[in-house]
Amino acid sequence: MRATNWFYWFYWIVLPLAWVVWHIAFRIRVVGRENLPRDGEGGFVLAPNHLSAIDPVFVVVARFWGRRMLVLGKEELFEINPFITWFLKTVNVIPVHRGRGDTAVVDKAIEDVRAGQGLLIFPEGTRSKDGSLGRLKSGAFVVASAAGVPMVPCRIIYKGGKMKPFCRCTVVFGKPIPAEALYLGEERSAARLRQVKQLLHDELERLLEENKQYL
């Protein structure tokens, strides 16, 4: 069996196991799953807030079914030990060299998303220390604009505001922001980039406000 086939089947073995473990440990509640694009409806960018190192697991488990997504993760995750490096690559996590203008990764992400792949990327680029939404970086918007795909805002809400062992976690998927609203134009002007960042920022804050009973 080719490595790519093994990676594919390994993902579908691990995902149900993770679903069971995470639902038992964190009692995950999912709101708005119907807002996620279905397989065959084209690529998309899934853009959650970022509170914990294991946020990607909560989002993937909450989404659960559908074509395997690309997940962009910081390169430091791949330097912990060889087993974790192998595991991350197996479940489709791609290392990003932050602060070095990793254009090759961005270009490949654009190509894959344009071809119909989903991309999970945290627009803040790093975890929030106090639970509030941080400054949004440009990468997610560049990919969505260049690929011509919608962006799905996603709010992760931990009971008490921070991830703690066995706390309740709610994952809220908002309505997709249309590709037309995210287009940056050929120039990718700073003014236009600020506008689309504000658009996502407002949506993420609205999702929290509408679901603050889960805090």
Side-chain angles (χ1 to χ4, degrees), residues 43 67 70 94 107-118:
R67 183 179 177 185
L70 296 172
I94 300 171
D107 289 345
K108 183 63 165 61
I110 291 170
E111 178 184 337
D112 290 341
V113 172
R114 187 182 287 139
Q117 192 95 28

Side-chain angles (χ1 to χ4, degrees), residues 5 15 25 30 68 74 80 86 98-99 106 110 119 123 128 149 158 160 175 179 191 204:
N5 289 338
L15 183 58
V30 183
R68 188 172 64 150
K74 62 182 181 180
I80 297 173
W86 171 82
R98 297 186 298 175
V106 173
I110 291 170
L119 172 68
S128 170
V149 299
Y158 293 110
K175 293 183 181 299
L204 289 173

Side-chain angles (χ1 to χ4, degrees), residues 1 7 57 80 91-92 98 103 127 145-146 148 155 180 204:
M1 181 180 291
F7 286 169
V57 181
I80 297 173
V91 296
N92 231 21
R98 297 186 298 175
T103 57
R127 286 172 279 168
S145 175
R155 191 82 197 207
E180 297 78 12
L204 289 173

Side-chain angles (χ1 to χ4, degrees), residues 3 21 36 49 53 59 89 111 142 145 171 176 187:
V21 172
L36 288 167
N49 61 312
V59 176
K89 289 181 177 180
E111 178 184 337
V142 170
S145 175
V171 180
E187 299 285 328

Side-chain angles (χ1 to χ4, degrees), residues 139-173:
F141 305 96
V142 170
V143 173
S145 175
V149 299
M151 179 179 288
V152 180
C154 173
R155 191 82 197 207
I156 302 169
I157 303 171
Y158 293 110
K159 189 69 175 178
K162 292 184 178 181
M163 201 286 290
K164 299 176 183 178
F166 308 109
C167 70
R168 185 74 189 253
C169 175
T170 301
V171 180
V172 186
F173 298 108

